[in-house]
Amino acid sequence: MQKNLFGFDNKILHFEEVSSTNTYAKEHRDSLEHGTVILADRQTTGKGRQGKEWLSGDGNKGLGVSMSVLLKAQGSGASLYPLLCAIAVAEALEELSGGCVMIKWPNDILIDGKKLCGILCESVISAGEICVICGIGINVNQTEGEFLKDNLPYAASLRMLFGREFSCHEVVHLVLRKLEQVLQIYQYKGFAPLKQTYLNRLVNTSKDVRVIYHNRTVLAKACGIADDGSLICEKDGGQFTVNSGEASVRGVYGYV
Ligand code: BTN
C-alpha cells in the first residue's frame, strides 16, 4: 500500500547541526513519519556517493542546503529514486534560475558542466517496510574560493553561475514541491512517463565515458538507461548495464 505523498513542507525537522541528515533519518526511521524532511544548517560528516565525504555550505549563512526526505513503503523500484530526485531538483533549479539544468547519470545536477547538487539515496528495511532516504545537497551561495580551497574544481553554486544570491528557503520549498509532483507521477503511472523527462536532461547519452565501479575503470559509450535506472553502455559491439548504487561515470577527458 502506497502512502500519501503530499505535504513534505509540513513535516520539516530543522536542525542547526547533525552528523548527516541521511544518518539522522536512518537512525530515527522507526519513529519518523513517511515524508519527513530532515533539514540541517551544518553536517559534521556529510556523506557523498561511493563512500566519499560531502562538504555542505552552511545553511545558517545561506550558503547551501542539506536535507533528506524519508520515504516509507514504496515497494520495489528503490533503484529509481536517485533518478526521480534528480528530475525534481533539476526542475526546481531551472525554475528558480532560468538556467539550463542537466543531469549526469545517475543524479549529479549540472549547469554549464559544473556540479550544483549531489544526491545520495540509501535504502534500508525497517519493520518489513522499505525506507528510502533521499539525501540532497545543493550549492546555493558559496563563492568560487570555497570550492577551490576544498579542491573541488567541478563544483559551483547558483550564485557563482548567475551572479546573484538565492534564498535557501525558496530552494528547499521548490525542490520539495517538485519532488511531490514527481513521486505522484511515479506512484500512479510508474517510471515510463518520467523516463523521457530524465533522458532529455541526461548529459551522458551517446558520449564516451569512463565507468567507475568495483575499483575498476572501463571505457565505454553510454547509450541510454534501462527501466530500473541502470546505465546502458556499449563496448566492443556488446552491451552491459551498471547500477546506480555501485557505479559512477566521468567523461573520457574530464568530469562530463
Ligand atoms: C554525491 O554527489 O556524492 C552525493 C552527495 C549527497 C549530499 C547530501 S547533503 C544531505 C544528505 N546528507 C548527507 O550526508 N548526504 C546527503
Side-chain angles (χ1 to χ4, degrees):
M1 175 68 182
Q2 300 283 326
K3 297 190 179 167
N4 182 13
L5 292 167
F6 292 106
F8 289 161
D9 274 8
N10 300 325
K11 297 182 194 160
I12 297 180
L13 298 181
H14 187 169
F15 295 93
E16 266 178 32
E17 185 173 289
V18 290
S19 57
S20 145
T21 54
N22 271 31
T23 304
Y24 185 95
K26 204 186 288 180
E27 285 175 352
H28 296 84
R29 62 187 183 271
D30 290 336
S31 59
L32 295 174
E33 255 185 89
H34 167 73
T36 303
V37 179
I38 314 298
L39 178 67
D41 291 340
R42 283 183 307 281
Q43 300 188 109
T44 52
T45 45
K47 299 190 291 181
R49 293 184 67 239
Q50 303 194 308
K52 292 193 187 130
E53 169 189 38
W54 175 263
L55 300 169
S56 318
D58 191 329
N60 195 33
K61 296 182 184 150
L63 295 181
V65 165
S66 308
M67 66 178 173
S68 301
V69 182
L70 175 69
L71 302 172
K72 290 188 177 180
Q74 299 301 303
S76 60
S79 62
L80 287 167
Y81 283 86
L83 286 75
L84 301 176
C85 291
I87 295 172
V89 174
E91 289 184 351
L93 297 189
E94 192 155 288
E95 191 169 315
L96 280 169
S97 70
C100 173
V101 183
M102 301 299 285
I103 299 170
K104 183 169 84 63
W105 183 87
N107 55 14
D108 284 354
I109 305 297
L110 315 179
I111 296 183
D112 289 345
K114 295 275 191 175
K115 178 165 168 174
L116 281 167
C117 166
I119 296 169
L120 174 66
C121 293
E122 300 182 273
S123 45
V124 273
I125 305 279
S126 182
E129 293 185 309
I130 297 182
C131 289
V132 183
I133 294 150
C134 301
I136 301 173
I138 305 175
N139 302 328
V140 182
N141 289 313
Q142 292 100 323
T143 56
E144 193 173 5
E146 287 169 75
F147 294 121
L148 292 178
K149 137 175 107 41
D150 294 325
N151 196 22
L152 297 168
Y154 302 122
S157 67
L158 285 171
R159 175 180 164 185
M160 281 163 61
L161 293 168
F162 296 97
R164 67 177 177 88
E165 294 216 353
F166 287 77
S167 151
C168 286
H169 185 265
E170 269 183 52
V171 171
V172 167
H173 290 279
L174 194 53
V175 167
L176 292 177
R177 187 147 60 77
K178 294 287 183 187
L179 190 58
E180 282 174 10
Q181 290 169 0
V182 169
L183 292 176
Q184 267 196 64
I185 296 173
Y186 179 57
Q187 178 174 330
Y188 293 112
K189 300 189 174 156
F191 186 54
L194 295 162
K195 189 172 175 179
Q196 193 56 47
T197 309
Y198 181 86
L199 286 172
N200 289 344
R201 294 188 186 272
L202 189 65
V203 288
N204 310 99
T205 314
S206 304
K207 293 239 174 77
D208 291 326
V209 289
R210 287 179 288 143
V211 183
I212 303 154
Y213 65 129
H214 301 316
N215 293 323
R216 292 171 57 209
T217 299
V218 175
L219 292 179
K221 187 183 280 292
C223 49
I225 54 162
D227 290 343
D228 67 353
S230 306
L231 185 71
I232 305 171
C233 297
E234 269 174 16
K235 187 176 174 62
D236 303 331
Q239 285 197 341
F240 66 99
T241 57
V242 281
N243 182 284
S244 66
E246 62 186 10
S248 63
V249 291
R250 295 273 187 282
V252 173
Y253 300 109
Y255 178 57
V256 181

